Amino acid sequence: MKKVVLAYSGGLDTSFCVMYLTKELGYEVHTALANTGGFSAEELKAVEERAYKLGAKSHVNIDVTGDYYGKCIKYMVMGNVLRNKTYPISVSSERTFQALAIVNYANSIGADAIAHGSTGAGNDQVRFDLTFEVFAPQVEIITPTRDMKLTREYEINYLKEGGFEADFTKMEYSINKGVWGTSVGGKETLCSATNLPDTAYPSQLKKEGTESLEIEFKNGEVVGVNGEVVSGVAAINKLEAIGSAWAIGRDTHVGDTIVGIKGRVGFEAAAPMLIIKAHELLEKHTLTKWQQYWKDQLGTWYGMFMHEAMYSEPVMRDIESFLDNSQRNVSGKVFITLRPYTFTLVGIESEHDLMNAKFAEYGEMNNAWTADDVKGFTKITSMPLKIYHAVNPDEE
């Protein structure tokens, strides 16, 4: 019997795939769920039980949150990555790490094929396919949902006829949760003129008034929250709990998909928005203008390649090296005020704060140059413009 590893979430599409791959194609099906922080222990257990009921030979839950943070999230923070200046590349970056975990597992058990339940309309099909093609080129890729253009009704009926019944009621909103944010899609995001109602978001507003928050960074990574030593995924989870109670981090992303069409999706990402914006403010104080300029360029490229399934492109490792090196002085505390649906960056405290230099105070006094120095500097700086406008007097 040939082995197939199925990227399994426990939803309708992948549940259909378990039974179809077993009964129709004759495969020995090994299901694998790559968890990037979107499942509780109870949910993971339920997914495993469902896989076996559907006919899976084996099932594994693979926790990839540590790899996801250490190999991706921390660099998206260092690069202040927000796609189209809005979206922290939440679910889209998770898919690559889920695909990497699946393909590594498939290789480890000598699978003949890998399957996933993505449709033909979105980005995820490319993220899974590309990763499988690169890291398991000898393995067949099977995608029943995409290839057969299946409807929900067909899949539900097929499962019922095969002796499996479950509540696959279509939810009003499609929600994908992970450690770096939650996407929310629904009827309002399918057109350009409407937006999601408050009730569509998993986290609801629980507080009123204001609350002070302190985030501490060391070399560009969070190492403390409100005086408590906490880092990595634990720090993200702590900040998410704090920020989501204020309904912070909600927005709608509009952008270009990998397959060439425009798309809209709502999201909530309290921790990513708090961390990225706090980190960005700290960098404004601790980096030079040219460090900030080139980081902006490379951060944009990093986010674009991440979104478009190009994580395995070697230039990504080069950008990560640059980002790592750029963070050597990005250490200190950032003070934030939280309020319903939003937050204000109050200020920072850092031994590397370049405003602390004793040369001058902006708009006040200087100790490092004279008035004549500025006059000479301005005269030399203006020379190229003087020449240009002397030659082209009609231009203002």
Side-chain angles (χ1 to χ4, degrees), residues 1-145:
M1 233 179 170
K2 288 186 176 182
K3 293 180 182 178
V4 60
V5 169
L6 170 65
Y8 185 65
S9 67
L12 176 58
D13 290 332
T14 55
S15 293
F16 168 85
C17 287
V18 177
M19 188 176 289
Y20 180 83
L21 291 167
T22 304
K23 290 191 171 185
E24 310 303 330
L25 300 187
Y27 276 95
E28 179 181 281
V29 179
H30 299 264
T31 54
L33 184 151
N35 182 19
T36 49
F39 292 87
S40 66
E42 293 77 16
E43 289 169 335
L44 289 173
K45 183 178 180 181
V47 167
E48 181 174 359
E49 290 173 353
R50 175 171 289 185
Y52 284 119
K53 287 179 181 178
L54 285 162
K57 178 72 174 178
S58 71
H59 176 83
V60 292
N61 293 317
I62 308 169
D63 188 347
V64 297
T65 51
D67 263 3
Y68 179 37
Y69 173 80
K71 296 180 179 179
C72 178
I73 291 176
K74 80 172 188 178
Y75 293 113
M76 293 199 293
V77 173
M78 290 176 179
N80 302 317
V81 174
L82 292 174
R83 184 164 173 79
N84 289 359
K85 301 179 181 180
T86 303
Y87 177 51
I89 313 187
S90 307
V91 176
S92 48
S93 60
E94 292 177 18
R95 292 295 183 257
T96 291
F97 281 83
Q98 290 166 347
L100 285 168
I102 298 299
V103 76
N104 288 336
Y105 177 67
N107 286 333
S108 73
I109 68 168
D112 302 287
I114 309 178
H116 63 83
S118 299
T119 69
N123 292 319
D124 288 346
Q125 58 180 326
V126 179
R127 296 181 180 121
F128 281 111
D129 282 8
L130 191 147
T131 304
F132 298 161
E133 288 278 6
V134 171
F135 295 104
Q138 76 287 354
V139 172
E140 180 185 4
I141 301 172
I142 306 173
T143 55
T145 308

Side-chain angles (χ1 to χ4, degrees), residues 193-209:
T194 55
N195 212 336
L196 294 169
D198 285 351
T199 53
Y201 293 94
S203 299
Q204 294 295 301
L205 179 65
K206 298 176 182 178
K207 295 188 175 182
E208 58 184 26

Side-chain angles (χ1 to χ4, degrees), residues 11-12 50 152 156 160 166-173:
L12 176 58
R50 175 171 289 185
R152 290 182 59 83
I156 291 171
K160 285 181 178 179
D167 183 11
F168 286 114
T169 304
K170 183 174 175 59
M171 303 296 289
E172 188 174 1
Y173 294 98

Side-chain angles (χ1 to χ4, degrees), residues 330-395:
V330 185
S331 299
K333 297 176 181 179
V334 181
F335 308 109
I336 304 170
T337 299
L338 310 179
R339 52 177 57 86
Y341 305 107
T342 189
F343 61 93
T344 302
L345 298 170
V346 177
I348 71 105
E349 182 182 282
S350 171
E351 63 178 312
H352 301 289
D353 185 359
L354 298 178
M355 279 189 67
N356 288 339
K358 301 303 181 183
F359 292 102
E361 292 181 9
Y362 179 71
E364 300 294 335
M365 296 295 294
N366 74 77
N367 300 314
W369 59 82
T370 67
D372 287 337
D373 291 334
V374 177
K375 292 174 186 178
F377 169 78
T378 307
K379 191 168 187 175
I380 296 299
T381 303
S382 70
M383 191 56 64
L385 295 175
K386 282 183 179 180
I387 294 169
Y388 180 87
H389 287 284
V391 174
N392 303 284
D394 294 334
E395 292 190 25

